[in-house]
Amino acid sequence: MSELKSEDIVATPVATHVDPRFAIARQLLDPAVTPDRTRVRPLTNLPEAGDELVTMAHMYVAAHGGSLRTFTGNLAHENGWWPSYKRRRLQYWEGMTQRAYLMRCEVDPDVEWAQSERRRFEFPLNGRLRRYTCDVEVQKTDGSIEIVELKRDERDLQDEDYRHTLAGVAEICRRCGWTFKIALAPEIFVSRHHRDNVELFQSRRFARVSPDHIRRLDSFALKRGLASSYGELAEVIEPSFAPAGMAVLQALLVRGRISMDLTQPIFHETPVRIV
């Protein structure tokens, strides 16, 4: 495992991020049972959270904006690097669940960027200091922040002490006006079509989008309106070779210039909206 040096890490007290509109919730909530996960037994012994949960807590991020920790091998599961167009940097991923979530964020119109292993929380809870590094931090296009913990399935949520730590992180995020959620691997994609479409569209994120492509897109929007279809718009973008136009459209979706429903099969007639 590769850890950053202390001079490469920026530490800030959690209290500086707290939104005064949110009072501290004395009784912690178990984030592992929402959404409704019938195979996860709710915790019945969650501790109360005193003011020290926030006043004595700190958060840590890398000075360069990347991951706090990475691995270079010697793991029992897959890990590697994946270049993100939205984040403009390589993303470290550990396990296929994290890789899949990063790819889905790349084509999500509500996501400005996502960064793996972005933020570490340190806080006192239940008599000892807790440390937690999020799997993914998401910056939404509306300016909100989402902290995401990724798990393969419900069996990874059996450790009650670890879930106490997650409950503490969830409360800190709530106090800061952020969202904390646990996402299981089967929840990342709504269907096989969704997964296949995300794989395809994110793979074209670095396809060349020329000034001519943008002019043709804007000209079509001015003359015909913002609504079109996948096949029609591909021919407008690249009149001489529609498959190349589809590749450009896929890159434009990552760039937020068009929107499509990727949860359904994609045909020439699939509706596309110019943003």
Side-chain angles (χ1 to χ4, degrees):
M1 181 175 68
S2 176
E3 289 278 2
L4 295 178
K5 298 179 180 178
S6 58
E7 58 265 28
D8 297 324
I9 298 177
V10 178
T12 56
V14 166
T16 62
H17 296 273
V18 167
D19 190 325
R21 296 175 299 173
F22 302 111
I24 192 166
R26 293 290 173 178
Q27 185 66 48
L28 294 181
L29 300 178
D30 182 3
V33 298
T34 55
D36 180 29
R37 298 188 177 114
T38 55
R39 287 189 289 179
V40 179
R41 180 176 296 178
L43 295 177
T44 58
N45 58 339
L46 274 168
E48 288 189 351
D51 292 333
E52 69 278 0
L53 175 68
V54 169
T55 59
M56 298 179 62
H58 286 77
M59 289 190 283
Y60 301 83
V61 297
H64 53 62
S67 300
L68 283 172
R69 63 182 184 183
T70 59
F71 290 80
T72 56
N74 197 30
L75 289 177
H77 50 263
E78 306 92 335
N79 66 99
W81 296 88
W82 173 82
S84 167
Y85 176 86
K86 286 185 173 181
R87 187 58 174 158
R88 303 295 200 277
R89 68 181 308 126
L90 284 172
Q91 292 277 16
Y92 170 75
W93 57 270
E94 181 188 343
M96 298 305 293
T97 301
Q98 191 175 40
R99 180 177 180 271
Y101 199 85
L102 289 170
M103 289 194 300
R104 198 196 75 175
C105 287
E106 196 78 350
V107 300
D108 189 333
D110 296 327
V111 172
E112 187 72 27
W113 54 258
Q115 175 62 54
S116 63
E117 312 291 335
R118 158 77 168 165
R119 191 176 299 269
R120 183 168 74 242
F121 298 78
E122 292 188 1
F123 56 94
L125 180 65
N126 221 18
R128 66 180 179 86
L129 183 67
R130 312 269 176 155
R131 291 182 175 89
Y132 166 81
T133 301
C134 68
D135 286 323
V136 180
E137 178 175 327
V138 178
Q139 176 80 50
K140 298 295 191 70
T141 53
D142 62 5
S144 62
I145 293 176
E146 187 171 73
I147 303 297
V148 183
E149 171 68 10
L150 298 167
K151 296 297 182 187
R152 292 169 301 173
D153 53 40
E154 292 90 343
R155 289 173 296 181
D156 290 340
L157 294 171
Q158 291 181 348
D159 188 294
E160 292 193 2
D161 186 66
Y162 179 62
R163 284 167 65 185
H164 285 174
T165 299
L166 296 181
V169 174
E171 173 57 21
I172 290 173
C173 288
R174 189 191 67 82
R175 288 292 312 277
C176 294
W178 303 348
T179 301
F180 175 82
K181 75 174 185 180
I182 299 173
L184 305 182
E187 299 168 353
I188 295 175
F189 304 115
V190 301
S191 66
R192 177 176 57 84
H193 299 298
H194 189 201
R195 181 198 63 204
D196 292 346
N197 290 334
V198 168
E199 288 270 7
L200 173 61
F201 277 65
Q202 65 83 29
S203 72
R204 302 289 172 77
R205 59 196 180 279
F206 292 109
R208 181 175 180 269
V209 179
S210 70
D212 283 340
H213 294 143
I214 298 300
R215 281 194 291 270
R216 290 167 189 157
L217 182 71
D218 291 341
S219 177
F220 179 90
L222 286 172
K223 295 177 181 177
R224 302 278 299 277
L226 300 179
S228 182
S229 67
Y230 189 49
E232 179 185 30
L233 208 53
E235 293 178 357
V236 169
I237 295 293
E238 276 290 350
S240 60
F241 191 50
M246 291 180 179
V248 174
L249 285 179
Q250 291 155 11
L252 287 173
L253 183 137
V254 173
R255 289 158 171 79
R257 288 303 311 272
I258 66 166
S259 63
M260 297 174 59
D261 182 5
L262 298 186
T263 65
Q264 302 297 321
I266 303 295
F267 303 105
H268 278 65
E269 299 78 14
T270 297
V272 176
R273 185 164 184 83
I274 301 171
V275 179

